[in-house]
Amino acid sequence: MTEEVTAPEPNQSQPKEQLIRVFVSSTFRDMQAEREVLVKQVFPKLRKLCDERGVVFTDVDLRWGITEEQSDEGQVLPICLAEIERCRPFFIGLLGNRYGWVPENIPQELIEEQPWLAEVKDGKKSVTELEILHGVLNNPKMANRACFYFRDPASAATADVDAEADDTEKLNALKQRIRDSKLAVREDYADAEALGQMILADLTRVINQEFPPGSEPTALERQSADHETFTRSRTVRKVSGRQVGCYIGRQEYFDRIDAHVSGDGPPLVVLGESGLGKSALLANWAERYRQSHPEEQVLLHFVGATADSADWAAMLRRILGELQQRFGIELEIPDSADALRAAFANALHMAAARGRLVLVIDALNQLDDRDGAPDLVWLPPGIPDNVRLIVSTLAGRPLKNLEERDWPTLKIEPLSTDERRRLIGEYLSQYVKQLSAERIERIAGCEQAANPLFLRALLEELRVFGTHERLDERIDYYLDVKSVDDLFERILQRWEEDYAGDRPGLVREAMSLLWAARRGLSEAELLTLLGEDGEPLPRAHWSPLFLAADHSLTSRGGLIGFFHDYLRQAVRDRYLASETDRHEAHLRLADYFASNAADPRSVEELPWQLCEAHAWQRLFDLLADLPFFEVLWEVGQFDLKAYWSQIEAGSPLRLVDAYRPVLDDPSQLEGSVCHSISRLLDDTGHPSEALMLREHLVEHFRQTGDRDNLSVCLGNQAVILKARGDLDGAMTLHKQEEQICRELGNKHGLSSSLGNQALILQTLGDL
């Protein structure tokens, strides 16, 4: 019986990751026609559908590009199983007339990591069957995340396959076991085109179930998911019954934060040198506190976790949006800096009146130096008692300001020698590994190992080091460096030696592209950028590096980025030391995203890349393009204004000139675009030009009889007249606006009109 493929039930305790990851397992040698159809026809259609839903689509096809050297050295199976283990994907199994390649032996190290392999190593099973066992048959939770497709044995595609050279009995037994498992199976497809149609239909159904139309995340939801992902990446948690992550913290730290949150005193400042685990402490404490206090709102913002998180204005807008949503507060989120700071202070009091809020802002020292942000001019001097604020920072301007406020502090100390021993043991035990007592003492006694980030990075390098006889030499090599930055430069060098042989320059290019990306890059984007002659880089080249770097990378909504700033800094120092190098990296991404400027990812990345590259003329032309302007205004008007600010600061190009054709003949535009441009002009200090467009809109909506939009335009025109001192003219327009709103029953518009009239009366002294 054929079972239908369905989407898995989401975990309600965590935000749903906007990611569809598909692992393709096949016997490959007799499946090349199928692969061509999937890669060139089916997956692009699915990727486009996912793009429209704000979802990242990634396909994992490891057999394409496997070298003979990798096969001979036994690298294929560990890579395949690790890819499945790293992120449980949707699993597609393709079986034709071959059983597949059977490895000569299974590395003992892999058996130690995957004990179930000990039971099958003597049975000489193919890599395909081992993938299916690990990915699906040994894991009941994958039942609704897998589908198998069996080619018709009589089809033309199998006519030239030498069945005698393969193990038909084992193949038939594998197929029968799959059938008996009641998994979704599509039997006897005739050719690659028929297979493509089946997979397209099945995965479209899955995408529609898990990410239906209209489920696209808002900007606020996406930001929230990114920060929650950052939180989970630093916490200890259970995955499939196994502990993932390792955190060595002191109970006294948790007790101190608990006491602060339960009290009513001033905010708490968490201090400590870089890499000592301030973010990890706050993340692990918050996860624990949420579980024990589900009735309280805990809001975390990690500065530096995302591209926009270090912008103080974007941070406040995100917090204001969260408070609106969580506490049901109605408030405007203004554009101007002064109004935004006032709105933030007001919102904290409004939230405090409705419930208890725990607000955590980590890494104030990473705030962009703009509008006095590092001097904390945006942070109110008084915080309501019902808002329990916790902040962290390094030395610098933020700390100086906090010291002037005399807020209490909690200082995170370096790891003690005993804590270093514990971290070494717990970290390696996750991978069923251990070091001798002598080596543990040597590492634990090293001064640099007092920094948890240094110690974790060192242990990860030792964990994957394959030559046991040279382990002491490798330990000495890494302990010889004096800083975390230097350690990661040596790690980059090791990656170059191990993973760039088949693809020269792979590490440099991949890490430089990730450094240059605004929100990160999907695997599909990276593989395309790293490919040649229109073909993406074979995953067999990419996956070994990706798996090796996994602990230094993070995935936010399917977009890969750096886990911490140390690797980012090491990449910059090693590969992008000059401004020219950095601009070229940004321009390479700009050229890539320019190929489809209307795509949501391009709207997000393209103007930002041009801005970072100081490509002012290209950015000017892009923002002057009205279709692109309309999309960007809809999803990121704050970004749009920031781009224009930087264009005008860095070049003689001017915003008004970009929209001069609109000002000269506004009748050529739809009312919505004309209105958006008028708002942009008004918000950026061009009231005369904005008034010209609004006068046109008033006449346009009078002629078309669109009274809803007419009332809005009358009000907007009146605001400009008031700002220019024409109070009588402004009052006349507001009266017209009021009349229309009363006739239409538009209470929101009426409230706005009456409020603005009151402001005019106040200015006139008519209290």
Side-chain angles (χ1 to χ4, degrees):
M1 183 177 73
T2 297
E3 300 288 331
E4 185 172 279
V5 183
T6 59
E9 289 296 320
N11 184 345
Q12 299 298 325
S13 65
Q14 297 176 354
K16 181 168 61 176
E17 187 172 23
Q18 301 295 112
L19 173 65
I20 291 286
R21 187 175 174 84
V22 177
F23 186 95
V24 182
S25 178
S26 71
T27 50
F28 184 69
R29 288 190 179 179
D30 63 333
M31 290 283 177
Q32 297 201 40
E34 283 88 338
R35 178 196 176 273
E36 288 285 309
V37 169
L38 292 180
V39 171
K40 296 183 178 180
Q41 298 180 32
V42 176
F43 291 158
K45 292 178 181 178
L46 293 170
R47 188 170 290 112
K48 186 175 188 302
L49 174 63
C50 286
D51 286 344
E52 294 169 354
R53 308 279 172 86
V55 177
V56 174
F57 179 91
T58 300
D59 58 285
V60 182
D61 178 8
L62 282 165
R63 301 303 179 75
W64 182 256
I66 288 284
T67 65
E68 289 187 12
E69 182 182 12
Q70 286 175 312
S71 297
D72 293 342
E73 293 179 358
Q75 297 178 27
V76 177
L77 183 58
I79 292 172
C80 293
L81 298 188
E83 276 284 5
I84 295 171
E85 187 73 23
R86 186 179 65 83
C87 178
R88 288 290 178 183
F90 285 93
F91 192 102
I92 288 179
L94 308 180
L95 295 180
N97 205 43
R98 283 185 174 275
Y99 176 61
W101 173 63
V102 178
E104 288 296 321
N105 58 72
I106 298 177
Q108 183 59 36
E109 183 176 323
L110 183 60
I111 294 176
E112 292 174 1
E113 290 184 8
Q114 304 287 347
W116 64 273
L117 288 172
E119 303 174 9
V120 301
K121 69 175 183 177
D122 296 328
K124 296 296 182 183
K125 295 186 181 299
S126 68
V127 170
T128 303
E129 179 164 2
L130 293 174
E131 288 175 347
I132 293 171
L133 286 169
H134 187 54
V136 183
L137 295 180
N138 291 348
N139 186 358
K141 293 181 180 179
M142 289 292 291
N144 61 350
R145 295 178 67 94
C147 190
F148 290 87
Y149 304 84
F150 299 164
R151 185 198 288 154
D152 183 354
S155 71
T158 63
D160 59 348
V161 175
D162 182 4
E164 292 182 359
D166 217 342
D167 196 328
T168 304
E169 184 178 338
K170 286 186 177 181
L171 174 64
N172 291 335
L174 174 59
K175 287 182 177 180
Q176 191 57 48
R177 181 172 176 182
I178 292 169
R179 293 186 187 102
D180 294 343
S181 68
K182 305 301 182 184
L183 295 164
V185 178
R186 307 286 185 257
E187 297 266 9
D188 298 337
Y189 69 84
D191 52 33
E193 295 294 335
L195 171 72
Q197 292 302 313
M198 289 180 182
I199 292 179
L200 180 63
D202 286 337
L203 290 182
T204 297
R205 184 184 306 111
V206 168
I207 293 167
N208 286 334
Q209 288 174 344
E210 192 164 359
F211 303 101
S215 67
E216 299 83 359
T218 64
L220 179 63
E221 290 170 338
R222 191 175 61 191
Q223 290 171 3
S224 177
D226 286 347
H227 283 275
E228 288 303 313
T229 298
F230 186 91
T231 301
R232 292 198 305 276
S233 72
R234 279 150 174 79
T235 56
V236 179
R237 59 201 185 280
K238 292 285 188 180
V239 176
S240 301
R242 194 179 75 179
Q243 178 175 309
V244 175
C246 177
Y247 173 69
I248 303 296
R250 299 179 185 177
Q251 186 60 42
E252 64 190 77
Y253 298 156
F254 289 104
D255 293 342
R256 178 68 185 283
I257 300 176
D258 284 341
H260 164 72
V261 171
S262 63
D264 57 4
L268 178 66
V269 182
V270 179
L271 303 175
E273 296 177 11
S274 181
L276 290 187
K278 297 184 296 297
S279 299
L281 167 64
L282 294 173
N284 281 278
W285 173 85
E287 286 295 285
R288 191 194 66 164
Y289 190 81
R290 281 171 167 168
Q291 293 176 12
S292 59
H293 297 78
E295 74 286 355
E296 294 190 22
Q297 294 292 339
V298 180
L299 174 56
L300 298 100
H301 186 92
F302 294 92
V303 179
T306 68
D308 302 326
S309 61
D311 180 336
W312 76 271
M315 176 180 70
L316 292 198
R317 291 188 188 105
R318 184 214 160 202
I319 294 173
L320 290 174
E322 292 280 2
L323 297 182
Q324 274 185 315
Q325 193 173 80
R326 297 184 185 206
F327 291 95
I329 299 171
E330 291 189 13
L331 51 85
E332 294 291 331
I333 302 180
D335 294 337
S336 71
D338 289 341
L340 186 59
R341 287 191 283 262
F344 177 57
N346 187 41
L348 291 179
H349 285 275
M350 295 171 71
R354 300 197 177 196
R356 198 162 184 82
L357 168 67
V358 179
L359 176 59
V360 178
I361 305 179
D362 178 53
L364 294 177
N365 54 285
Q366 293 190 45
L367 285 171
D368 293 337
D369 191 356
R370 186 167 65 86
D371 302 328
D375 299 312
L376 309 187
V377 296
W378 52 270
L379 185 59
I383 305 296
D385 288 342
N386 223 21
V387 175
R388 309 311 297 143
L389 176 63
I390 306 167
V391 299
S392 76
T393 187
L394 296 178
R397 288 158 60 188
L399 179 56
K400 181 179 178 181
N401 180 275
L402 293 170
E403 288 173 342
E404 292 172 356
R405 298 181 188 225
D406 199 27
W407 288 353
T409 61
L410 166 61
K411 186 174 182 181
I412 308 304
E413 301 291 343
L415 294 175
S416 67
T417 304
D418 185 58
E419 287 170 333
R420 299 173 212 176
R421 295 188 190 102
R422 284 178 52 206
L423 194 150
I424 293 169
E426 290 188 19
Y427 189 89
L428 294 178
S429 68
Q430 298 176 91
Y431 308 99
V432 199
K433 290 183 178 293
Q434 59 183 359
L435 290 170
S436 67
E438 186 274 330
R439 286 168 176 154
I440 291 175
E441 289 304 313
R442 219 162 95 225
I443 295 171
C446 175
E447 182 181 350
Q448 300 93 303
N451 184 302
L453 183 56
F454 181 98
L455 184 52
R456 288 168 184 269
L458 169 63
L459 294 173
E460 182 61 22
E461 284 298 288
L462 299 181
R463 180 182 76 83
V464 300
F465 187 64
T467 311
H468 187 76
E469 294 76 14
R470 296 179 57 200
L471 188 58
D472 290 315
E473 177 185 330
R474 180 60 50 162
I475 292 173
D476 291 340
Y477 174 71
Y478 286 130
L479 291 183
D480 185 52
V481 302
K482 301 303 181 185
S483 69
V484 183
D485 285 342
D486 293 340
L487 174 63
F488 275 99
E489 284 216 49
R490 293 203 172 184
I491 291 173
L492 286 171
Q493 180 180 342
R494 198 270 298 175
W495 291 348
E496 292 169 11
E497 295 167 356
D498 288 354
Y499 305 115
D502 296 322
R503 168 59 165 82
L506 173 61
V507 178
R508 170 187 289 273
E509 289 186 50
M511 294 299 133
S512 297
L513 289 167
L514 290 176
W515 178 91
R518 181 184 187 183
R519 289 194 65 234
L521 295 170
S522 71
E523 287 185 77
E525 290 167 347
L526 256 177
L527 294 178
T528 300
L529 283 158
L530 295 170
E532 296 177 354
D533 302 325
E535 284 285 324
L537 179 75
R539 182 171 288 275
H541 295 320
W542 163 245
S543 283
L545 170 61
F546 189 25
L547 292 167
D550 186 48
H551 287 262
S552 296
L553 302 176
T554 186
S555 174
R556 306 181 190 99
L559 300 178
I560 303 164
F562 295 129
F563 181 76
H564 48 72
D565 205 48
Y566 284 108
L567 179 57
R568 174 178 293 278
Q569 187 61 45
V571 168
R572 175 177 165 135
D573 292 344
R574 188 170 181 84
Y575 305 132
L576 303 162
S578 73
E579 185 176 57
T580 300
D581 292 334
R582 295 191 289 274
H583 285 179
E584 287 179 355
H586 288 300
L587 286 174
R588 183 172 176 184
L589 287 182
D591 292 341
Y592 170 79
F593 286 109
S595 62
N596 188 4
D599 177 87
R601 282 284 291 138
S602 295
V603 171
E604 184 174 64
E605 289 281 349
L606 175 56
W608 191 86
Q609 296 298 338
L610 293 174
C611 189
E612 292 297 302
H614 295 180
W616 304 124
Q617 186 64 58
R618 282 184 65 181
L619 182 56
F620 176 94
D621 294 340
L622 180 68
L623 301 184
D625 179 69
L626 295 182
F628 187 87
F629 165 86
E630 192 171 10
V631 175
L632 182 56
W633 179 266
E634 184 68 26
V635 300
Q637 56 179 277
F638 297 117
D639 285 344
L640 179 62
K641 295 169 189 174
Y643 294 142
W644 276 118
S645 174
Q646 294 183 69
I647 289 173
E648 295 195 340
S651 75
L653 300 169
R654 293 295 173 259
L655 179 153
V656 171
D657 295 332
Y659 305 110
R660 182 64 61 190
V662 176
L663 295 168
D664 291 342
D665 184 14
S667 62
Q668 64 179 305
L669 292 181
E670 293 182 5
S672 60
V673 183
C674 195
H675 175 66
S676 299
I677 293 176
S678 73
R679 281 191 59 191
L680 173 64
L681 290 165
D682 191 26
D683 292 344
T684 53
H686 302 90
S688 298
E689 290 82 359
L691 181 60
M692 184 189 311
L693 291 182
R694 288 176 179 176
E695 288 172 344
H696 163 75
L697 288 170
V698 166
E699 291 307 311
H700 170 75
F701 290 127
R702 284 191 197 278
Q703 293 175 12
T704 60
D706 187 342
R707 304 183 76 208
D708 278 315
N709 277 315
L710 175 59
S711 68
V712 173
C713 290
L714 287 168
N716 288 334
Q717 186 179 353
V719 169
I720 293 180
L721 291 180
K722 176 180 180 294
R724 300 180 70 179
D726 185 358
L727 302 184
D728 291 338
M731 182 63 84
T732 298
L733 294 179
H734 278 313
K735 287 293 186 183
Q736 295 178 33
E737 176 192 21
E738 175 190 349
Q739 181 180 348
I740 295 173
C741 288
R742 290 187 185 278
E743 292 172 358
L744 296 177
N746 181 352
K747 293 183 179 181
H748 180 77
L750 177 60
S751 170
S752 174
S753 178
L754 293 173
N756 283 319
Q757 290 179 50
L759 291 174
I760 293 174
L761 293 173
Q762 182 185 33
T763 302
L764 292 170
D766 187 357
L767 302 182

